[in-house]
């Protein structure tokens, strides 16, 4: 039984046997993410004091400017996972292609691949607003001991074995699921340990917060426009309010606690949506469903989408079940 204030380390050990293929490997993997997140957290907290704010001068494969902290976080997660030799492959928002680990070693028995958004919401770094990290973990589908291939990464979200995020907010939290509910751990920076502060997190079935970049309103599909109008109409019973941070992790985290819906629909500027299926939408969808919420592209369950490329984008509607279903109804009927 998990106990409030248990450390993340204790929690991982205690719950190891509930993993489907318990061998300790997944526990070690989550442990390394916890460690890398602590290092990144330290750097994020210092932003402003050291020369870590601003653009790195490069763009990633998706044409987005990389911030120095994007590059730093990417390096830290990749180094930690590679050095500790626990995964066979990594895909990241900041890497053009996936990374193969120990492909030369036939005895290499690691079975997990990780997909990661090392720093989410990076446009918020310069202004001291919450950012995050998102991760998604799968068992490889190609044989052990061979180099990983693209099929290991292009798996449907419903095959995830674990997923989580770190929010570097007013306090730093790690929230994750291995398919047995969602638990949130808060970092005590004085001690350097994460403690179980939010056991068994659940989206309220209904909520009153909608989170969307309304600057793109004119370009949204009609169904979304009408849903936004529905949220804005005040009939006394639906006092909806709008909250949008611009960091998926932070917007999602708030909505999971308070009840709400997050939307990044397609638009003329982003005809396929903006968020990436594999390392943003699928992990958040897994967490949402494990917390009694819902995630959809407007018509279909996010986790049932067959991925075709590493960095593909998808429209994303996620949050409290009744709110997502209402938005889907508007999409279907318009
Ligand atoms: P990233 O920083 O990893 O590129 O992700 C940014 C994403 C997401 O976190 C956020 O919700 C969304 O982009 C904000 O986009 P807009 O500025 O277009 O609203
Ligand atoms: Mn992101
Ligand atoms: Mn990012």
């Amino acid at each position: 039984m998990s106990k409030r204030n248990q450390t993340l380390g204790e929690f991982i050990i205690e719950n190891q046997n509930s993993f489907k293929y318990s061998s300790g490997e997944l526990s070690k993997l989550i442990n390394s993410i916890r460690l890398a997140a602590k290092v990144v957290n330290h750097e994020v907290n210092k932003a402003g004091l050291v020369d870590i704010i601003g653009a790195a001068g490069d763009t990633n494969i998706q044409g987005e400017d990389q911030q120095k902290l994007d590059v730093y976080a990417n390096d830290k997660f990749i180094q930690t996972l590679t050095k500790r030799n626990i995964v066979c492959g990594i895909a990241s928002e900041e890497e053009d292609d996936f990374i193969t680990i120990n492909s030369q070693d036939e005895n290499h028995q690691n079975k997990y691949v990780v997909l990661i958004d090392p720093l989410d919401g990076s446009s918020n770094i310069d202004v001291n607003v919450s950012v995050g990290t998102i991760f998604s973990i799968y068992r490889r589908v190609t044989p052990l001991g061979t180099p990983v291939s693209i099929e290991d990464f292009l798996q449907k979200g419903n095959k995830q074995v674990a997923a989580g995020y770190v929010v570097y907010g007013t306090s730093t939290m790690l929230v994750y699921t291995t398919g047995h509910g969602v638990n949130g751990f808060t970092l005590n920076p004085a001690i350097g340990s994460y403690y179980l502060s939010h056991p068994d997190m659940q989206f309220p079935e209904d909520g009153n917060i909608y989170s969307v970049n309304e600057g793109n309103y004119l370009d949204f599909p009609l169904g979304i426009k009408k849903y936004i109008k529905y949220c804005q109409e005040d009939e006394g019973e639906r006092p909806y309010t709008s909250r949008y941070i611009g960091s998926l992790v932070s917007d999602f985290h708030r909505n999971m606690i308070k009840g709400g819906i997050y939307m990044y629909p397609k638009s003329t500027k982003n005809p396929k949506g903006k968020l990436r299926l594999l390392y943003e939408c699928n992990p958040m969808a897994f967490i949402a469903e494990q917390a009694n919420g819902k995630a959809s592209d407007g018509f279909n369950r996010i986790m049932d989408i067959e991925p075709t490329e590493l960095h593909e984008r998808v429209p994303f509607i996620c949050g409290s079940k009744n709110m997502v279903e209402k938005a889907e109804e508007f999409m279907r009927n318009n």
Side-chain angles (χ1 to χ4, degrees), residues 70 93-94 117-122 276 280:
D70 281 326
E93 177 189 350
E94 306 304 337
D117 175 355
L119 208 81
D120 174 66
S122 48
R276 278 58 53 111
E280 292 182 312

Side-chain angles (χ1 to χ4, degrees), residues 165 175 201-204 252-258 287 291:
Y165 62 79
V175 173
M201 297 180 82
Q202 299 272 327
F203 266 97
F252 177 101
H253 186 73
R254 180 204 51 242
N255 290 353
M256 178 156 63
I257 292 173
K258 296 196 162 180
I287 299 165

Side-chain angles (χ1 to χ4, degrees), residues 16 19 21 25 43 52 76 81 142 145 206 233 273 314 328:
Q16 185 167 307
F19 300 153
Y21 314 92
E25 205 178 317
E43 208 60 22
I52 192 79
K76 278 296 162 246
L81 293 168
T142 52
D206 250 314
E233 280 159 14
V314 72
E328 286 180 318

Side-chain angles (χ1 to χ4, degrees), residues 280-294:
E280 292 182 312
C281 303
N282 270 336
M284 295 317 243
F286 189 21
I287 299 165
E289 288 194 10
Q290 283 295 317
N292 199 33
K294 202 168 172 177

Side-chain angles (χ1 to χ4, degrees), residues 217-243:
Y217 180 85
L218 293 178
D219 289 339
F220 285 155
L222 190 58
I224 296 292
K225 283 183 175 168
K226 289 200 172 169
Y227 178 69
I228 293 174
K229 285 292 156 217
Y230 163 86
C231 292
Q232 292 170 342
E233 280 159 14
D234 185 4
E235 290 174 6
E237 302 140 35
R238 281 189 285 105
Y240 283 11
T241 187
S242 162
R243 291 283 182 276

Side-chain angles (χ1 to χ4, degrees), residues 88 100-109 140 145-148:
C88 49
T100 306
I101 296 168
N102 273 355
S103 60
Q104 311 308 328
D105 178 2
E106 279 178 25
N107 298 319
H108 192 66
Q109 296 299 303
R140 65 181 303 177
T146 65
V148 279

